[in-house]
């Protein structure tokens, strides 16, 4: 059986996303949506989501040319395998930036909030301990949040984004080849901030 909308093999999809979400796939209550990724051909990434539960479940999956389906959420190695097998064509700064943003969204784990910010006023503060409030004041009184940056370099691209990762604000650096291979590193800008904790 295949999902008519996606052409995805339903049994393989249900097995990949595991119990809970897999049952929603089999019953038809899960939403299966294409997720376009700049630089990748056609539609090879899909968002599978079930909003019928108290805590919505979701996972991003990749659909390989040979028909296999694997979860990409919390698995950057699976992303790298998919990109190698389907082929990527990262040819502009805008494509590189969109590609990196899709990579971050599709491979983030469910338990750790990861999101891009471009200014300190985008941070979703919560009341904190005196020590957390001190760190918040230090961060807000420091240099402004760096803007997103993407430039061509060495036959590929260099992308920099400022991210919230859990309780931390960090500057992430990505070197991206034309074939979509990502080499990533980061610098912590502030840690243990009074940001919402996702359980």
């Amino acid at each position: 059986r295949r999902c008519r909308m996606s052409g995805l093999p339903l049994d393989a999809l249900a097995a990949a996303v595991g119990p809970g979400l897999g049952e929603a796939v089999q019953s038809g209550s899960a939403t299966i949506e294409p997720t376009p990724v700049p630089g990748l051909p056609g539609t090879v990434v899909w968002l599978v989501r079930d909003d019928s539960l108290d805590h919505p479940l979701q996972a991003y999956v990749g659909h390989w040319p040979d028909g296999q389906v694997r979860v990409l959420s919390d698995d950057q190695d699976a992303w790298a395998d998919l990109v190698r097998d389907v082929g990527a064509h990262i040819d502009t700064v805008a494509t590189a930036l969109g590609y990196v943003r899709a990579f971050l969204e599709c491979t983030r784990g469910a338990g750790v909030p990861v999101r891009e910010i471009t200014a300190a006023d985008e941070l979703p503060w919560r009341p904190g301990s005196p020590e957390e409030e001190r760190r918040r004041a230090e961060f807000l009184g420091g240099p402004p949040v760096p803007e997103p940056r993407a430039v061509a370099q060495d036959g590929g691209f260099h992308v920099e984004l400022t991210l919230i990762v859990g309780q931390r604000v960090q500057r992430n650096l990505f070197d991206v080849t034309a074939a979509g291979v990502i080499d990533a590193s980061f610098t912590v800008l502030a840690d243990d901030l009074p940001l919402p904790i996702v359980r």
Side-chain angles (χ1 to χ4, degrees):
R1 290 186 313 131
R2 290 181 177 273
C3 174
R4 282 198 308 277
M5 293 282 291
S6 67
L8 289 166
L10 281 185
D11 291 341
L13 177 58
V17 297
L21 197 47
E23 291 160 14
V25 167
Q26 295 283 23
S27 71
S29 66
T31 304
I32 304 169
E33 296 178 347
T35 302
V37 176
L40 294 190
T43 303
V44 294
V45 177
W46 298 82
L47 171 62
V48 183
R49 186 174 171 89
D50 182 15
D51 288 314
S52 65
L53 306 169
D54 289 343
H55 296 288
L57 295 174
Q58 76 169 41
Y60 287 94
V61 300
H63 189 197
W64 267 250
D66 65 5
Q68 74 169 305
V69 179
R70 286 170 61 188
V71 171
L72 303 174
S73 301
D74 206 19
D75 193 343
Q76 295 182 357
D77 289 340
W79 174 280
D81 289 347
L82 177 68
V83 169
R84 185 184 63 240
D85 286 0
V86 303
H89 185 58
I90 316 297
D91 58 350
T92 68
V93 166
T95 301
L97 187 57
Y99 177 78
V100 166
R101 285 172 167 153
F103 162 77
L104 287 169
E105 170 61 20
C106 296
T107 63
R108 67 183 174 86
V112 180
V114 176
R115 85 179 170 91
E116 182 184 351
I117 60 165
T118 57
D121 61 10
E122 295 175 25
L123 288 160
W125 300 110
R126 61 169 167 81
S129 67
E131 188 61 23
E132 287 176 323
E133 292 297 340
R134 182 187 64 74
R135 284 192 288 269
R136 171 175 28 187
E138 266 181 18
F139 175 69
L140 292 176
V145 169
E147 292 282 315
R149 179 171 176 258
V151 295
Q153 68 166 29
D154 304 330
F157 300 89
H158 178 76
V159 176
E160 298 185 11
L161 299 173
T162 304
L163 305 175
I164 303 173
V165 180
Q167 308 304 111
R168 189 168 63 222
V169 176
Q170 58 189 47
R171 186 68 169 175
N172 279 50
L173 315 179
F174 306 88
D175 291 315
V176 185
T177 70
V181 177
I182 293 177
D183 183 29
S185 62
F186 68 89
T187 302
V188 176
L189 302 182
D191 207 350
D192 296 322
L193 294 170
L195 298 169
I197 298 169
V198 175
R199 296 291 183 204

